[in-house]
Amino acid sequence: MSIEQLAETARAMVAPGKGIIAIDESSATCKKRFEGVGIECTEDTRRAYRELLLTAPGANQYLSGAILFDETIRQSTKSGVPFAKYMLDNGMIPGIKVDKGTVPLAGFPGELVTEGLDGLRDRLKEYYKLGARFAKWRAVITIGDDIPSGTCIEANSHALARYAALCQECGLVPMVEPEVLMDGDHDIGTCYEVTEVVLRSLFDALYNQSVMLEGTILKASMVVPGKACDEQASVEEVAESTLMCLKSAVPAILPGIVFLSGGQNDHDATAHLDAMNKMGPNPWPLSFSYGRAMQQAALKLWATDMAGNYAKAQATVFERAKANGLAALGQWQG
Ligand code: 13P
């Protein structure tokens, strides 16, 4: 795969005014979300829900792509069109989650490492054939007493870099996601320091594994105080801290950065992205790759009345895509 093709895909993922909807919850996570709103979690309810999200009328104006789960990339619309084909026909790039989730890091209580490298090359080749053109791997960094450790950060960066190199070999753009969790009572300064160290470690590892940054997208967490911190931050403070942190650690050659929502409410996720873009010009396009902040309104509506609220639920997907698409341009009006 040529670097030009990877770079073209990466640029298309962050095309002006467009971002990504993350619908790649594992079946276990999907079960939790469905149970939270009283929906039975079966292969077919998962399929029906993903169809609702992917086919929301008009949302594709603001969506460059979607991240799918292994089960979803093998599923089809009710009328029999494979989801990946439906997406390509509607101008959206299929992406795929390729990590196998987190496990406790041996010897480091409270810390996690992401698994999934064994057999990854063959899985990536198959996903490419199924239509995927980018792939996501999520590492999780937890802030707490004396953590994260350097060992946890290095182990996760190394795995991210190994996966990224394999993706590029197989023609997929790696979307590298080192998520610094919002859980805890740490302040925004602590989140800044941890995020900066994590990003520097990640880009060191990518360099060491010969990953071409021109064909890579960063999926970042914003610099925010812990959810349980007494002192919460203003929209401007989050936007300024996140921008400063990214500028200090992320090479300008990267084609784009997308954010996860990480538990922020819909309004904050959009407001923060919009504020960062209003503060531009920035070295890279800044857009979204939200899961919960794209989906939660739709899920609640659908759960209340699957048939009766179908169109209303799809309309909220459109609204969230439009708001975040405008925020990616710094043109959201609140
Ligand atoms: P959230 O936006 O819900 O954090 O999910 C994004 C994602 O893909 C996490 O890996």
Side-chain angles (χ1 to χ4, degrees), residues 24-227:
D24 59 325
E25 299 82 8
S26 65
S27 299
T29 302
C30 201
K31 189 162 188 275
K32 262 191 258 161
R33 302 261 160 87
F34 277 18
E35 279 173 359
V37 290
I39 301 174
E40 198 194 348
C41 190
T42 65
E43 187 177 339
D44 200 56
T45 53
R46 292 192 294 271
R47 191 211 63 74
Y49 177 57
R50 265 68 184 253
E51 175 164 358
L52 180 157
L53 297 170
L54 288 173
T55 64
N60 60 341
Q61 290 170 70
Y62 308 103
L63 296 176
S64 57
I67 317 172
L68 310 177
F69 184 58
D70 178 79
E71 175 186 85
T72 320
I73 201 168
R74 302 172 194 283
Q75 289 176 324
S76 302
T77 64
K78 210 173 169 192
S79 58
V81 183
F83 283 139
K85 176 169 167 33
Y86 178 88
M87 289 177 64
L88 290 166
D89 290 347
N90 286 276
M92 292 185 282
I93 307 167
I96 181 80
K97 168 198 181 75
V98 298
D99 67 73
K100 295 234 163 167
T102 57
V103 292
L105 180 63
F108 292 82
E111 299 199 278
L112 300 168
V113 67
T114 302
E115 292 192 325
L117 289 171
D118 287 0
L120 182 57
R121 179 181 273 124
D122 289 339
R123 290 198 289 129
L124 292 172
K125 284 183 191 160
E126 189 195 4
Y127 289 137
Y128 186 93
K129 280 193 200 139
L130 289 168
R133 289 298 176 268
F134 70 95
K136 185 193 97 171
W137 177 290
R138 173 173 175 258
V140 176
I141 303 294
T142 312
I143 299 180
D145 291 341
D146 299 323
I147 60 171
S149 64
T151 306
C152 175
I153 293 172
E154 265 177 43
N156 277 294
S157 296
H158 183 259
L160 275 162
R162 294 253 340 260
Y163 124 88
L166 282 164
C167 282
Q168 293 190 331
E169 180 188 289
C170 296
L172 294 148
V173 170
M175 178 191 268
V176 293
E177 179 183 16
E179 175 173 3
V180 178
L181 291 181
M182 286 168 65
D183 299 340
D185 62 2
H186 54 272
D187 60 15
I188 191 168
T190 306
C191 181
Y192 183 106
E193 281 168 29
V194 169
T195 306
E196 187 177 45
V197 170
V198 166
L199 290 173
R200 289 193 176 159
S201 158
L202 170 62
F203 283 96
D204 255 13
L206 292 173
Y207 177 74
N208 285 333
Q209 302 279 341
S210 292
V211 174
M212 297 172 284
L213 295 187
E214 304 91 315
T216 302
I217 294 286
L218 172 67
K219 176 156 176 167
S221 44
M222 295 184 198
V223 175
V224 290
K227 271 187 251 172

